[in-house]
Amino acid sequence: MSTEQIITRFPPSPTGYLHIGGARTALFNWLYARQKGGKFILRIEDTDVQRSSPEATQAILESMSWLGLTWDEGPYFQSRRYDIYNAVIDRLLDRGQAYYCHCTPEELEKRRKAAMQKGLKPKYDGRCRELGLGPKAEAVVRLKTPLSGATRFKDLIKGAITFQNEELDDLIIRRSNGSPTYHLAVVADDIDLNITHVIRGDDHVNNTPRQILIYKALGEPLPQYGHLPMILGPDKTRLSKRHGATSVLTYRDMGYLPHALLNALARLGWSYGDQEKFSLDELVEKFSLSHVGKAAGIFNAEKLLDLNARYIRETPDQTLARELGPFLQNLGLRDIDSQRLQDVVPLLKPRSKTLVDMAEGARFCFEKEIQYEEKGETKFLTPDVANLLIRLRDKLSSLSRFDQNALEEAFAAFLDENGIQLKKIAQPLRMALTGKTASPGLFEIMAVLGQNVVIQRIDKAVAHIRNKQNAQAGQKG
RNA sequence: GUCCCCAUCGUCUAGCCAGGUCCAGGACACAGGCCUUUCACGCCUGCGACAGGGGUUCAAAUCCCCUUGGGGACGCCA
């Protein structure tokens, strides 16, 4: 029996940031390897010198790390593995499975266009195939593709897929500048790294027969293939930048938790009955390629937002307080009192969908001078509540304890003494304390703010009302 | 144009492979309600789909065919 170790890989090309489609591919490969006790390899496909950049590589590594998609081997860089590819190409040449072609790019382009116009498939016509040409400065090497027959494979997700070989042409495996092309490099690497399962996007289905043909020409055993359906934008076209946020790092910066993104990505295409939420362990345990759907899907950003809110509610206060740091900084808040931050986090949890939301919600705790939201200011900071606020301030300043219980008692008495309902004073007080019309409960935020700050802010609100009154009176007079 | 793939609520999907228990279930969003000091959270209710047409069968969302629609690939990019 062969207890073959499962080895998967994620091979991004560093031509841009890691987008959520790529992240999902990485996730599925990672899950599959983890579940099977196998290995997950990261490989950077940077053979295109023009379009590859170190910055993109960095962004990809950073994205993977943030998501927690750890790799067991690599990252390998294709640009440093040319020896391997050249050896494979030479092997193919020796075996008579590949040949030199002297056609120029211009000629090829012309023929391609002509074929398209005639309604034919724009494939290479094979004119150098039997010429027995040798190496030459501008020559390329092509694979000798079978002229007849069919290439078929059983896709782990889509089932049996068949291509007639006559649909395929003699693809270039070595460029005129000596570098290997994508198909060759992928196969050579997958063989070298002992990849057993190739799990990748749907857009590679058409590449699969070409790659299989390379394996066959080499006499190497094939890996298993699983092609994931594409992720589409809301307009049902291939997801791209114009569909808004697609970069993994952008989601991080928008205040999403990696677990939420991972969960959302996992559920895009894959399902496990009616279950929507999964811990990482559950994902590893329950993931299965057979439950990956075949149809392309549209990324549901609203669902991700909802998931994020749920995960925020489940995250320990201390962790959130820590994660909130950079987001508070972005709001220009400095000198964050860590105790106060930890106290306010639980209040903000049920009303924050992202860390950005939460930071914004925490603003009132750390702002030196709170700014009043315009609409609320007009509506609630009015002359008729000024005296009430003053009386409330006096009441609060007389308290010796300032916890929630003490505050609730004090308020009960205060409302009674003044013959009013909490409604009457709640919104003005909220404006005074937070500058906003929406916030956590008043008693809770007062306890977090503390007696001094609460009194200061009420004083400030009263002064604000008076100023406004005077200004108006001045205008009239 | 040629080839490959796909098709259940607005979106993600369960159900399909092993046809009946599905006048199709869940989630997000949306609408209404309850709770309530605001906003959320939570709870309840509602809205909403088997692309169309042929077969096969006692019976089809489930199997077959066609049509339509969508996506992808056709590079000395990956």
Side-chain angles (χ1 to χ4, degrees), chain A residues 249-422:
Chain A
L249 259 19
T250 300
Y251 281 92
R252 177 195 63 188
D253 297 343
M254 291 192 300
Y256 286 86
L257 268 20
H259 186 187
L261 219 208
L262 252 17
N263 194 149
L265 255 18
R267 279 291 284 102
L268 211 200
W270 173 78
S271 64
Y272 188 80
D274 285 339
Q275 188 172 345
E276 298 283 352
K277 258 173 98 243
F278 299 84
S279 69
L280 247 26
D281 286 344
E282 269 182 304
L283 243 23
V284 169
E285 180 199 331
K286 295 174 172 172
F287 179 74
S288 145
L289 285 176
S290 62
H291 277 87
V292 173
K294 300 178 184 179
I298 297 170
F299 180 64
N300 193 339
E302 284 163 338
K303 205 159 178 171
L304 167 62
L305 191 60
D306 177 71
L307 268 175
N308 202 53
R310 291 174 193 277
Y311 282 119
I312 281 178
R313 277 174 241 148
E314 290 179 9
T315 304
D317 299 347
Q318 216 176 350
T319 309
L320 286 174
R322 192 179 59 233
E323 299 293 327
L324 230 31
F327 295 95
L328 291 168
Q329 277 207 355
N330 279 348
L331 292 179
L333 301 171
R334 296 289 184 277
D335 306 318
I336 305 298
D337 180 279
S338 64
Q339 186 54 50
R340 184 176 288 180
L341 178 56
Q342 268 218 57
D343 289 343
V344 79
V345 161
L347 309 183
L348 263 15
K349 265 173 151 181
R351 48 205 114 215
S352 305
K353 289 184 184 297
T354 66
L355 293 177
V356 169
D357 282 353
M358 194 177 251
E360 180 58 41
R363 189 177 214 130
F364 75 93
C365 284
F366 308 106
E367 245 168 1
K368 295 275 179 290
E369 290 290 318
I370 54 165
Q371 303 297 312
Y372 300 123
E373 201 175 83
E374 200 183 316
K375 269 177 85 176
E377 188 274 340
T378 313
K379 189 168 177 191
F380 299 116
L381 293 185
T382 52
D384 61 305
V385 294
N387 287 330
L388 212 47
L389 284 173
I390 291 170
R391 285 201 290 275
L392 179 64
R393 172 227 191 274
D394 291 341
K395 182 84 179 178
L396 294 176
S397 63
S398 72
L399 294 179
S400 54
R401 285 184 332 171
F402 214 69
D403 55 52
Q404 263 194 68
N405 282 340
L407 283 163
E408 283 185 41
E409 277 173 34
F411 263 74
F414 179 79
L415 296 178
D416 199 45
E417 287 157 16
N418 290 276
I420 57 166
Q421 291 187 302
L422 182 54

Side-chain angles (χ1 to χ4, degrees), chain A residues 467-477:
Chain A
N467 281 342
K468 196 162 62 163
Q469 258 179 310
N470 290 338
Q472 276 178 353
Q475 264 183 0
K476 274 179 199 158

Side-chain angles (χ1 to χ4, degrees), chain A residues 7-199:
Chain A
I7 304 179
T8 65
R9 77 327 191 246
F10 176 57
S13 63
T15 54
Y17 53 76
L18 179 65
H19 59 91
I20 55 181
R24 188 185 59 152
T25 301
L27 171 63
F28 285 15
N29 276 286
W30 183 86
L31 287 174
Y32 197 73
R34 285 285 170 280
Q35 179 182 80
K36 307 291 184 192
K39 256 195 308 196
F40 172 63
I41 296 177
L42 181 61
R43 181 173 76 218
I44 305 296
E45 309 219 324
D46 56 350
T47 52
D48 186 343
V49 191
Q50 300 301 323
R51 304 197 307 158
S52 299
S53 77
E55 291 74 26
T57 301
Q58 203 42 50
I60 290 168
L61 297 180
E62 198 178 334
S63 300
M64 294 287 286
S65 300
W66 179 69
L67 288 169
L69 299 179
T70 49
W71 51 95
D72 304 301
E73 252 182 47
Y76 291 103
F77 290 85
Q78 287 192 325
S79 57
R80 297 179 204 162
R81 294 164 61 82
Y82 277 30
D83 288 352
I84 293 173
Y85 314 134
N86 281 327
V88 169
I89 294 169
D90 289 342
R91 222 169 115 195
L92 254 10
L93 246 13
D94 288 348
R95 288 172 146 245
Q97 301 281 12
Y99 62 92
Y100 286 96
C101 166
H102 292 355
C103 297
T104 66
E106 295 72 34
E107 291 168 349
L108 294 172
E109 186 54 29
K110 238 167 81 182
R111 287 180 224 153
R112 230 188 320 267
K113 282 202 175 122
M116 280 272 223
Q117 255 168 11
K118 273 193 270 180
L120 298 171
K121 193 149 180 144
K123 44 177 255 192
Y124 176 63
D125 59 10
R127 68 179 60 193
C128 295
R129 185 177 166 114
E130 305 299 343
L131 264 33
L133 298 170
K136 178 185 161 194
E138 295 296 297
V140 300
V141 176
R142 288 181 185 271
L143 182 77
K144 223 177 229 182
T145 299
L147 273 3
S148 60
T151 297
R152 54 188 93 234
F153 63 99
K154 186 148 186 318
D155 193 273
L156 262 14
I157 293 166
K158 296 184 180 283
I161 298 178
T162 303
F163 287 85
Q164 296 305 317
N165 288 338
E166 57 193 29
E167 296 294 334
L168 277 19
D169 64 0
D170 290 351
L171 77 174
I172 293 175
I173 55 180
R174 179 190 280 156
R175 299 188 184 95
S176 52
N177 69 6
S179 64
T181 58
Y182 164 71
H183 290 291
L184 190 282
V186 163
V187 172
D189 271 335
D190 286 347
I191 291 171
D192 183 67
L193 300 172
N194 297 310
I195 302 302
T196 61
H197 295 256
V198 173
I199 300 166

